[in-house]
Amino acid sequence: MTEYNLYCDESCHLEHDDSDVMVLGALIIPKDKKQEITENILQIKARYGVKARTEVKWTKASMPKIDLYKDLLNCFFLDDDMRFRVLVAKKTRLNHEAWSQSHNDWYYKMYFTMLNRLFDSTNIYNVYVDIKDTHSAQRTEKLEEVLANSHYDFNHECIKKVQPIRSDEVQMMQITDVINGAVCRANRTTIPQPSGAKAEIIDYIRMKSKLRLTQSTTLGTRKFNIFVWEGRNA
């Protein structure tokens, strides 16, 4: 039995933003490697003169810091114990009224879809979700309940908790943020593809993962798993 921590974040989740996709991603690590990975990330940041509490984020990517971003990605790709699961949801076919749901309802349905395939009843999981709004605690509590019930884990012996956290307080969330941002940008079709540092980061992830980032992988793909959710008409 192994205990895992999952660090989850989203990109372009708002209903009326200018993005035609939403991305939800989870970095999965063995809990007993948390301190080692945290120290590795802090050492990488220190090499480039970045303070420990400064977040390395997709939105801040620039060419002067490109080697910092690549080293952060190498921290993930070179460690066989670290895995990533990402869901790319196409927003162009959403019809919330037809499914009697709000956008928030759909958002958490997608979170369920992204996470549900990751759980094995022989292990233990702690799920950490970036705080979205003032209702995050209530909604993650419901998400925990639905996930646990779907695995007949009524005593929460497998899915131990789903807890909102501040991303700036957890170093691993920065890997999630950068990968999410890159996958999201690679899948957006209503704007031109980026240039400069962001284009280089996307290409680097494609090279390291050997994936196009715009197509679903097989369900059993372990290191870098992608699911593209197309939606369906009512």
Side-chain angles (χ1 to χ4, degrees), residues 8-222:
C8 308
D9 201 0
E10 79 283 320
S11 292
C12 299
H13 66 283
L14 299 177
E15 183 172 11
H16 299 299
D17 58 22
D18 61 352
S19 177
D20 55 336
V21 297
M22 175 183 77
V23 165
L24 301 173
L27 176 70
I28 306 106
I29 69 167
K31 183 181 178 180
D32 62 9
K33 289 201 65 171
K34 174 186 173 183
Q35 190 58 39
E36 175 190 333
I37 295 169
T38 297
E39 290 174 0
N40 287 344
I41 295 171
L42 290 173
Q43 288 172 9
I44 291 168
K45 292 166 76 171
R47 282 204 301 271
Y48 293 95
V50 177
K51 295 179 180 178
R53 292 186 62 84
T54 300
E55 288 187 273
V56 179
K57 296 179 69 69
W58 166 256
T59 55
K60 298 179 181 178
S62 64
M63 287 308 296
K65 294 291 186 181
I66 191 64
D67 289 336
L68 163 64
Y69 281 79
K70 288 181 178 179
D71 277 354
L72 186 67
L73 290 168
N74 285 338
C75 181
F76 166 72
F77 282 109
L78 296 177
D79 190 334
D80 291 338
D81 287 327
M82 300 172 71
R83 297 183 285 132
F84 203 85
R85 158 86 163 162
V86 61
L87 178 145
V88 180
K90 302 294 182 70
K91 295 198 288 187
T92 52
R93 296 180 67 185
L94 288 179
N95 186 346
H96 294 321
E97 184 176 353
W99 294 96
S100 302
Q101 66 185 8
S102 68
H103 189 74
N104 267 329
D105 292 335
W106 172 77
Y107 170 85
Y108 282 100
K109 287 177 183 178
M110 292 297 97
Y111 241 121
F112 174 88
T113 302
M114 188 270 288
L115 289 169
N116 197 42
R117 296 283 189 174
L118 294 173
F119 303 122
D120 178 339
S121 61
T122 63
N123 296 316
I124 299 171
Y125 300 89
N126 306 294
V127 181
Y128 299 100
V129 179
D130 188 27
I131 291 175
K132 179 172 175 280
D133 53 37
T134 56
H135 301 291
S136 291
Q138 180 182 356
R139 291 183 177 128
T140 51
E141 183 178 342
K142 182 63 175 179
L143 179 61
E144 178 183 340
E145 177 187 347
V146 174
L147 285 166
N149 289 348
S150 72
H151 289 269
Y152 304 100
D153 180 30
F154 304 117
N155 294 322
H156 298 258
E157 295 172 347
C158 173
I159 303 168
K160 197 171 177 180
K161 62 184 172 183
V162 179
Q163 177 182 323
I165 59 170
R166 289 176 54 89
S167 62
D168 61 343
E169 296 176 351
V170 180
Q171 298 295 328
M172 276 71 69
M173 290 291 282
Q174 294 166 65
I175 294 177
T176 309
D177 180 277
V178 172
I179 295 178
N180 267 7
V183 172
C184 185
R185 195 68 173 83
N187 279 276
R188 293 180 67 175
T189 61
T190 56
I191 56 176
Q193 285 298 294
S195 57
K198 290 182 177 179
E200 193 160 335
I201 291 168
I202 292 171
D203 288 342
Y204 195 72
I205 294 173
R206 284 175 171 151
M207 178 191 70
K208 290 297 220 177
S209 66
K210 298 181 173 59
L211 298 171
R212 295 176 63 182
L213 306 184
T214 54
Q215 296 176 328
S216 295
T217 59
T218 61
L219 186 59
T221 300
R222 186 169 174 81

